[in-house]
Amino acid sequence: MITKSLDHKKIKELSRIIAGCKRVVITCHIAPDGDAVGSSLALCHMLTDLGKEVHVVTPDMFAQNLFYLPGAKDIVIYTRYSDFAIQLINDADLIFCLDYNAIKRVDKLGSHILDSAAIKVMIDHHLGPEEFPYLTISHPEESSTCILLFKVFCALGLVPLISKNIATCIYTGMMTDTGNFSYNSNKPDIYQAISKLVECGINKDDIYRHIINTSTLSRLRINGYAVSQKMEVFPANRAALITLTRDELNEYDYKKGDTESLVNLPLQLDNVDYSVFLREEENYIKVSMRSKGSFPVNKLCEKFFNGGGHLNAAGGEFDGTMQQCIERFNEAMKYGDTLLKSKK
Ligand code: 5GP
Ligand code: MN
């Protein structure tokens, strides 16, 4: 049974909470990715179909390719419509926290969520969930929040209500959080879920084309520039580094999401176990890391960049200049050497 890992007492409580609520707000983490937006919209469609008044509120803008997802244009983006977003949160009687485990991951929305009288329910797959929600369905062993949500729908008996739109959103998050089923994707239940989603009418090939295989000129050029001019490989440390400054991003007319999968590219090299991408934002440096095998990039992000994440995909932030951040990276790489040695 696909739902066997879920705590059925919690599912019963969730069912009771949903039955009693009227106004729902669904939130996800800052810089929302396919799993964050996909799970939020899937749940939004489901609860709307159940007759609830539902809004998705994100802390900031998401990548352009996710506009393809049904309902994306109705998402309330806090950085654009902050008063409306706050009003929705204050008026809600139920708030979902999807695809994040810590309140700081929703940035400025955090204090409003905590202050709201609404019941809070977290559904997430990151390690170490904080304790602020009333109900937490946390499964770090799941590869995406979307497959976890699919299992929750199954346990709630909602499978007959999974529309093509809901299935499209769920499939997108399952796909993007596993690098198109290239990592974290060996569990058979993933494919049981996909089989059901195909039955629900998704066009898998179409989703892939829109979400993954669609680009803009600026995106292609910035990725080409980054790999040819800005990628350093450290074979002795089995690491690679790419950095992009504000000036470089501006020169290539960077838009949010343009560097989304850039950090994965150096992993194609045989002598690279982990890859680090540093992107200069307005007031900080955004850090992204990916690894293959058992190299734990979440440890590096926690220890050196005030961040976290999963074994093979993690991130963090650095307060300071790019040069200082590169120095921090060098320290992190030394620590990475000890992790590599302890593996041997
Ligand atoms: P990305 O590199 O795509 O921004 O993030 C990859 C994964 O790392 C995310 O799914 C999330 O789990 C984690 N992550 C990214 N940025 C942060 C951060 O600033 N703090 C924490 N705790 N986790 C992060
Ligand atoms: Mn996720």
Side-chain angles (χ1 to χ4, degrees):
M1 262 252 292
I2 200 160
T3 61
K4 69 175 183 296
S5 58
L6 299 181
D7 176 339
H8 285 262
K9 266 199 216 122
K10 287 189 177 183
I11 296 296
K12 229 172 147 183
E13 184 60 2
L14 178 60
S15 178
R16 191 190 65 78
I17 292 169
I18 291 174
C21 76
K22 285 200 180 75
R23 285 178 304 278
V24 185
V25 165
I26 299 168
T27 60
C28 63
H29 60 77
I30 192 167
D33 56 10
D35 192 32
V37 177
S39 56
S40 298
L41 287 174
L43 183 58
C44 177
H45 291 305
M46 180 60 89
L47 295 177
T48 304
D49 293 348
L50 290 172
K52 312 293 174 184
E53 187 190 319
V54 195
H55 287 90
V56 175
V57 176
T58 61
D60 65 348
M61 190 53 175
F62 44 91
Q64 229 176 354
N65 56 346
L66 297 175
F67 279 116
Y68 167 74
L69 291 178
K73 68 170 181 12
D74 298 322
I75 291 177
V76 179
I77 299 158
Y78 173 79
T79 44
R80 292 198 175 174
Y81 305 103
S82 41
D83 290 348
F84 185 42
I86 294 167
Q87 187 197 326
L88 288 171
I89 287 171
N90 288 340
D91 292 348
D93 50 18
L94 173 58
I95 296 177
F96 279 96
C97 308
L98 296 190
D99 202 34
Y100 65 93
N101 59 348
I103 200 73
K104 79 170 197 258
R105 296 282 290 137
V106 286
D107 201 36
K108 293 196 178 103
L109 279 182
S111 58
H112 302 289
I113 293 173
L114 292 180
D115 289 349
S116 162
I119 295 177
K120 284 129 214 164
V121 174
M122 178 185 282
I123 301 179
D124 178 48
H125 70 136
H126 293 90
L127 281 169
E130 285 179 357
E131 285 181 2
F132 68 88
Y134 166 74
L135 181 68
T136 297
I137 300 179
S138 165
H139 285 263
E141 77 282 7
E142 297 294 351
S143 55
S144 61
T145 297
C146 275
I147 189 164
L148 177 56
L149 185 66
F150 176 81
K151 291 184 179 189
V152 169
F153 285 165
C154 291
L156 288 169
L158 295 174
V159 169
L161 296 186
I162 297 181
S163 61
K164 180 181 174 183
N165 281 351
I166 293 173
T168 297
C169 296
I170 292 175
Y171 182 79
T172 295
M174 288 174 59
M175 177 181 80
T176 53
D177 257 25
T178 55
N180 315 320
F181 307 105
S182 67
Y183 50 81
N184 245 346
S185 53
N186 278 330
K187 287 190 4 197
D189 57 15
I190 292 178
Y191 303 94
Q192 287 169 8
I194 293 174
S195 163
K196 189 72 214 166
L197 297 173
V198 173
E199 274 176 36
C200 292
I202 62 165
N203 187 333
K204 232 175 89 329
D205 304 355
D206 231 29
I207 298 172
Y208 183 87
R209 188 167 60 80
H210 278 97
I211 304 287
I212 307 294
N213 243 1
T214 297
S215 201
T216 57
L217 189 60
S218 67
R219 182 178 178 147
L220 286 180
R221 287 209 198 284
I222 202 164
N223 284 291
Y225 167 73
V227 172
S228 79
Q229 306 295 315
K230 301 300 308 277
M231 181 174 75
E232 281 182 86
V233 180
F234 305 91
N237 317 84
R238 305 199 61 78
L241 173 69
I242 295 175
T243 61
L244 288 174
T245 63
R246 240 22 256 162
D247 285 347
E248 289 168 320
L249 294 164
N250 289 338
E251 193 181 324
Y252 281 88
D253 193 22
Y254 167 81
K255 287 177 209 68
K256 227 175 184 124
D258 277 355
T259 55
E260 185 70 36
S261 56
L262 174 60
V263 64
N264 289 302
L265 294 179
L267 292 182
Q268 293 177 17
L269 298 170
D270 229 13
N271 55 7
V272 170
D273 279 349
Y274 66 104
S275 161
V276 179
F277 171 45
L278 308 177
R279 187 182 65 231
E280 190 178 8
E281 297 285 334
E282 291 294 333
N283 330 307
Y284 67 98
I285 312 278
K286 167 75 189 139
V287 180
S288 270
M289 296 197 195
R290 297 291 184 275
S291 68
K292 53 195 184 201
S294 59
F295 189 90
V297 277
N298 50 352
K299 282 200 182 155
L300 250 53
C301 287
E302 276 161 27
K303 205 170 156 69
F304 295 92
F305 296 105
N306 195 26
H310 312 280
L311 185 83
N312 296 126
E317 291 176 7
F318 180 81
D319 245 345
T321 65
M322 182 60 93
Q323 200 43 49
Q324 290 165 334
C325 191
I326 292 171
E327 282 157 26
R328 179 68 61 88
F329 159 77
N330 286 326
E331 284 171 41
M333 195 160 62
K334 277 189 204 134
Y335 180 67
D337 290 347
T338 66
L339 295 177
L340 287 167
K341 277 202 194 92
S342 69
K343 238 176 37 176
K344 276 185 191 153

